[in-house]
Amino acid sequence: MAYTSDVGGQRFAFRDLKHVMASASPARSGDELAGLAAASAAERMAARAVLADLPLTRFVNEALVPYEEDEVTRLIIDTHDERAFAPIAHLTVGGFRDWLLSNEVGAEALGAVAPALTPEMVAAVSKLMRNQDLIAVASKTRVTKAFRTTVGLPGRLSTRLQPNHPTDDLRGVAASVLDGLLFGAGDATIGINPATDNVPNAIELMKMLDELRLRYDIPTQTCVLTHVTNSIEIINRNAPLDLVFQSVAGSEAANQGFGINLAILKEAHEAALSLKRGTIGDNVMYFETGQGAALSANAHHGIDQQTMEVRAYAVARAFDPLLVNTVVGFIGPEYLYDGKQIIRAGLEDHFCGKLLGLPMGCDVCYTNHAEADQDDMDVLMTLLTNAGCTFLIMVPGSDDIMLNYQSLAYHDILYLRSVLGVRAAPEFEAWLERMNMVAPDGGIRELRPGDSRLLTLTDQQTLYV
């Protein structure tokens, strides 16, 4: 179906819904690379005018990727909750934006409609929203999950402690874990990207992390971000696996590029649940995504990268995860060119994920060849915290020495807690208090020579040194 719109005395034509969605997206290098971006600001506004007038039902009745060709599309359509959709079924995309921003619509109403929302609906409305709109709606959306800690509670911001090492040296990893714990990081998970992704290596890392967790009674969950098929084998070998990790994308073809499909994810989910390692909840999955993943695999079906990103959240939603995060600037400037594009993408991803009912976090990051710097990351982490982000990723000194990209540093969580008043997950916060690591203002106490905490925690390294 073709669409037309007049802006500034000029008529713009759009050949189909995919064309409208792509043209309505804020400017970004990935869509330009794919030949999908609007040619001008006027064309972009014309596409948004068309989009604003489209009924939400259009996205239920018209699949951007054909149902017969793609299992992600089938998942989206087959799980759509018509009863939950009824209260908003009469709205256009523009009317949906107004509804979301209404003072009368709060956390309860947003949670009730989450099962009714398709990724395409959510991507569409995000294209009509300013950054402040994305923050305003996300901040009143509540998504709470639990394993050994509870993430997503109001006024809380959790962190993934990421102690990567270029050779997976246990001593090096242990030192980075110690460093992060002393800053109060790690309540979302202590998660390692292994330099060598195989089952024996992953098991060694898992055993070390689990021994550390048990020795100091740390209420958190650990994760080695190995391929999901490795996790299944690790579970079969009775190793101490807490969370199953996998990168996911928004089309069947893109997921095939990751070596996965929905059946494999289901098998892993059921296997992890069978372990019953959670103490206060059973959310056992951890997913990562990123704008540009489908395009980089030539599996985007002519759809803009942000819409394809949100389709990945439908995959994640099907497995009730503990954690989902967009690694927003990791794929590089070919997809998000500069700090402005990275900031916008991070806010979009967080808004869309939370609206779909996901415990959405972000790796606030960039590669060294992007037109971005740490000031841009300061802006994004501050905005995301105001938006009610579930968790952020922290690495030693903001420099990941294994993956060779820039993220946030452990000390950034102290800034966010001090300035914005957010706190760690309650179970982890209680542990920090037991370890005498919490200052009266809620921050981390300053270490001093002979401090008992230092003596207590640093002896962990004798296990591996």
Side-chain angles (χ1 to χ4, degrees):
M1 178 177 177
Y3 305 87
T4 61
S5 179
D6 296 330
V7 171
Q10 185 177 2
R11 170 156 291 193
F12 294 91
F14 305 97
R15 59 185 174 271
D16 54 24
L17 185 53
K18 287 196 292 189
H19 191 190
V20 173
M21 293 280 280
S23 299
S25 288
R28 64 201 65 204
S29 53
D31 290 338
E32 293 172 2
L33 178 69
L36 300 173
S40 66
E43 183 179 13
R44 184 170 295 112
M45 292 308 298
R48 289 175 181 173
V50 171
L51 197 57
D53 289 337
L54 289 178
L56 290 180
T57 52
R58 181 65 52 82
F59 297 96
V60 179
N61 299 324
E62 184 175 340
L64 298 186
V65 183
Y67 184 94
E68 299 76 16
E69 298 177 11
D70 186 84
E71 69 172 1
V72 177
T73 298
R74 293 193 289 275
L75 172 68
I76 293 167
I77 299 300
D78 294 348
T79 59
H80 181 247
D81 189 329
E82 293 186 3
R83 179 175 296 180
F85 187 53
I88 60 170
H90 64 288
L91 295 175
T92 63
V93 176
F96 184 43
R97 174 186 177 274
D98 294 340
W99 184 84
L100 290 170
L101 290 166
S102 169
N103 290 333
E104 287 71 42
V105 173
E108 184 177 351
L110 292 169
V113 301
L117 301 178
T118 70
E120 292 83 358
M121 289 178 199
V122 174
V125 76
S126 74
K127 297 175 193 298
L128 304 182
M129 303 181 91
R130 295 171 58 184
N131 286 357
Q132 66 172 255
D133 298 335
L134 300 174
I135 294 167
V137 176
S139 69
K140 60 182 181 179
T141 307
R142 298 281 175 260
V143 181
T144 305
K145 304 292 181 181
F147 188 77
R148 293 193 191 99
T149 58
T150 307
V151 299
L153 292 169
R156 306 277 179 170
L157 174 66
S158 294
T159 54
R160 171 185 159 194
L161 194 167
Q162 182 170 297
N164 294 346
H165 191 278
T167 64
D168 292 333
D169 180 80
L170 295 182
R171 295 173 298 176
V173 172
S176 292
V177 172
L178 166 64
D179 190 18
L181 290 171
L182 292 175
F183 279 99
D187 54 323
T189 187
I190 302 173
I192 304 170
N193 299 88
T196 303
D197 190 13
N198 60 57
V199 169
N201 187 58
I203 289 175
E204 286 302 305
L205 290 167
M206 285 179 189
K207 286 181 176 178
M208 184 270 284
L209 291 178
D210 200 53
E211 183 178 354
L212 169 64
R213 180 186 64 81
L214 291 170
R215 178 166 181 165
Y216 297 103
D217 194 25
I218 306 170
T220 190
Q221 35 284 327
T222 63
C223 184
V224 175
L225 281 68
T226 188
H227 192 269
V228 65
T229 54
N230 287 347
S231 292
I232 293 170
E233 176 59 24
I234 288 165
I235 292 170
N236 291 336
R237 297 189 188 187
N238 297 314
L241 182 146
D242 287 343
L243 303 180
V244 170
F245 168 81
Q246 184 55 48
S247 295
V248 294
S251 72
E252 180 178 348
N255 283 324
Q256 286 174 349
F258 286 136
I260 63 166
N261 54 39
L262 297 179
I264 290 173
L265 294 178
K266 181 179 180 181
E267 179 184 355
H269 184 224
E270 293 174 349
L273 286 173
S274 72
L275 298 177
K276 301 185 184 301
R277 290 176 58 82
T279 55
I280 60 171
D282 61 359
N283 302 112
V284 296
M285 303 297 283
Y286 176 17
F287 295 110
E288 282 190 344
T289 67
Q291 288 194 29
L295 174 57
S296 67
N298 195 29
H300 61 294
H301 296 274
I303 299 171
D304 68 273
Q305 68 179 37
Q306 189 250 343
T307 300
M308 289 303 298
E309 166 73 2
V310 187
R311 283 172 56 92
Y313 303 158
V315 176
R317 182 169 63 173
F319 301 98
D320 196 18
L322 177 74
L323 305 170
V324 181
N325 72 262
T326 169
V327 193
V328 65
F330 182 75
I331 302 182
E334 299 83 2
Y335 305 96
L336 296 169
Y337 178 72
D338 57 15
K340 181 176 182 178
Q341 292 188 10
I342 292 171
I343 290 168
R344 172 69 190 191
L347 295 176
E348 287 173 346
D349 294 351
H350 175 255
F351 162 85
C352 292
K354 282 191 78 176
L355 210 57
L356 288 168
L358 291 176
M360 200 68 193
C362 185
D363 190 349
V364 176
C365 64
Y366 63 101
T367 58
N368 287 311
H369 61 309
E371 291 295 321
D373 58 27
Q374 216 64 36
D375 285 338
D376 296 314
M377 302 305 104
D378 286 350
V379 170
L380 181 53
M381 72 175 176
T382 304
L383 294 176
L384 284 170
T385 303
N386 277 298
C389 191
T390 303
F391 73 104
L392 298 173
I393 291 178
M394 310 281 171
V395 307
S398 76
D399 182 18
D400 192 301
I401 58 174
M402 193 281 283
L403 292 173
N404 292 311
Y405 77 115
Q406 307 304 307
S407 185
L408 300 182
Y410 295 149
H411 67 261
D412 289 327
I413 189 57
L414 300 186
Y415 150 73
L416 294 169
R417 288 175 182 161
S418 173
V419 174
L420 299 179
V422 290
R423 298 157 60 190
E427 302 84 2
F428 193 80
E429 184 178 61
W431 179 78
L432 293 174
E433 291 172 352
R434 290 199 303 273
M435 299 300 291
N436 193 31
M437 293 173 67
V438 179
D441 64 358
I444 299 298
R445 290 185 184 275
E446 183 179 350
L447 285 173
R448 301 182 185 278
D451 192 301
S452 61
R453 288 173 295 134
L454 188 62
L455 294 173
T456 300
L457 282 174
T458 54
D459 71 350
Q460 68 164 283
Q461 291 192 73
T462 64
L463 298 172
Y464 312 109
V465 174

